[in-house]
Amino acid sequence: MSLKGKTAFITGAGRAGKGIGRSIAVLLAQQGANIAIADFVKEAAEAVAGEARALGVEALALQGSVTSSEDVVRMTSEVQQKFEKIDILVNNAGIVRDQLLVRMSDEDWHAVLETNLTGAFLCTREVAKVMIRQREGRIVNMASVMGVVGNAGQANYSASKGGLIALTKTTAKELGRRGINVNAVAPGFIQTVMTEEMPEDARAKVSGQIPLDRLGTPEDVARVVLFLVGELSSYVTGQVINVDGGLVM
Ligand code: NAI
């Protein structure tokens, strides 16, 4: 178990069953990491924490929004109180509010930027203080290939994920000397609630463009996160790894 004794703080991991965050929590727990899960709904976070505990590790469910500095400060302090350290941060919480640019409301623009980009900034700022004191840490940001290539109907989402990629690189440059590696994962189309909400014809069209000829699974993404938080990637920082079956290359 490569992560035995480590503490991983994963945001947006309360989607039991299908979420990418939940898959990351379960895979890291299988590798021996203690897990802290943050999500809007305490019961949802608690369900995934229960799955982690069943694997023999300690787990903490936290209720809060990554968009609130107060919540982020409180949740970070709760993780520290329980586990005394934070080795891994996965900024996974994210939302979509798709609409063509000319019809997009101010509210939908701001909501997506606040969650996907500001939320990652707030969590990184707080947890980095802990990691700097420890002189080590791993941060993984959940971007998207849409943040690399853009996507019609997703001005807010692709801008937030593009911003997150830039935040990843800047954080990697600032924190490298402190022993902290910072990378991003950019999934393509992954089978989750987020993509289930897409119209069937749009899903079929997208699938046809994927060289590996299938949508990804949350586990496909979680395995790359495992690589980025473990010893095998100790000389990797500031990178964006696409997990998209070859959709973008
Ligand atoms: P999901 O919607 O199943 O899970 C996201 C979780 O984040 C939910 O449990 C939600 O309650 C939580 N969340 C949302 N806003 C929050 C906030 N302000 N504070 C705390 N928790 C919050 O989404 P999914 O599909 O598992 O995606 C996870 C991440 O992966 C997101 O960042 C998403 O943008 C990214 N991604 C997903 C892709 C896909 O195809 N599903 C493709 C590319 C990236």
Side-chain angles (χ1 to χ4, degrees):
M1 295 209 292
S2 58
L3 299 176
K4 198 162 173 46
K6 302 275 184 198
T7 299
F9 180 13
I10 307 161
T11 69
R15 177 87 76 184
K18 284 187 174 167
I20 291 173
R22 177 248 165 211
S23 281
I24 295 167
V26 169
L27 187 61
L28 302 196
Q30 280 169 354
Q31 295 301 314
N34 295 320
I35 305 292
I37 290 152
D39 213 301
F40 279 137
V41 185
K42 175 100 182 178
E43 292 72 32
E46 192 52 62
V48 179
E51 287 191 76
R53 283 187 207 108
L55 293 163
V57 300
E58 290 190 67
L60 179 65
L62 303 157
Q63 189 280 324
S65 174
V66 296
T67 61
S68 150
S69 320
E70 275 176 24
D71 284 3
V72 169
V73 169
R74 173 183 48 78
M75 292 192 290
T76 306
S77 141
E78 286 179 46
V79 182
Q80 263 192 295
Q81 272 171 23
K82 177 152 176 79
F83 297 114
E84 291 174 359
K85 59 183 185 134
I86 306 176
D87 303 289
I88 295 160
L89 168 66
V90 184
N91 284 310
N92 170 77
I95 59 169
V96 282
R97 298 266 183 93
D98 296 351
Q99 185 52 274
L100 291 175
L101 184 132
V102 293
R103 290 198 204 134
M104 187 171 286
S105 67
D106 292 8
E107 196 204 344
D108 283 352
W109 170 265
H110 288 300
V112 171
L113 268 290
E114 278 290 301
T115 304
N116 300 5
L117 182 55
T118 308
F121 160 69
L122 294 175
C123 294
T124 300
R125 186 175 65 183
E126 227 31 55
V127 173
K129 293 174 194 166
V130 180
M131 290 179 171
I132 287 169
R133 283 198 294 276
Q134 294 168 182
R135 305 200 64 76
E136 64 176 0
R138 297 295 179 97
I139 300 173
V140 178
N141 292 325
M142 198 54 64
S144 162
V145 290
M146 300 320 167
V148 180
V149 294
N151 195 25
Q154 292 197 308
N156 49 3
Y157 186 77
S158 52
S160 73
K161 297 298 189 179
L164 187 56
I165 288 170
L167 177 67
T168 302
K169 294 177 182 179
T170 296
T171 315
K173 287 184 177 179
E174 284 196 24
L175 300 183
R177 279 194 188 83
R178 312 292 194 137
I180 301 165
N181 301 37
V182 188
N183 292 288
V185 173
F189 286 93
I190 310 299
Q191 281 170 320
T192 66
V193 173
M194 200 178 260
T195 47
E196 265 175 11
E197 285 161 7
M198 283 170 71
E200 190 49 50
D201 56 336
R203 275 159 56 97
K205 199 172 153 202
V206 164
S207 296
Q209 293 167 3
I210 300 172
L212 290 182
D213 203 25
R214 66 172 175 88
L215 264 60
T217 64
E219 290 72 27
D220 287 324
V221 180
R223 283 192 288 271
V224 177
V225 173
L226 174 61
F227 167 69
L228 289 173
V229 302
E231 272 311 300
L232 291 177
S233 62
S234 54
Y235 200 52
V236 178
T237 198
Q239 303 306 306
V240 184
I241 303 189
N242 293 1
V243 185
D244 64 351
L247 180 66
V248 171
M249 61 172 94

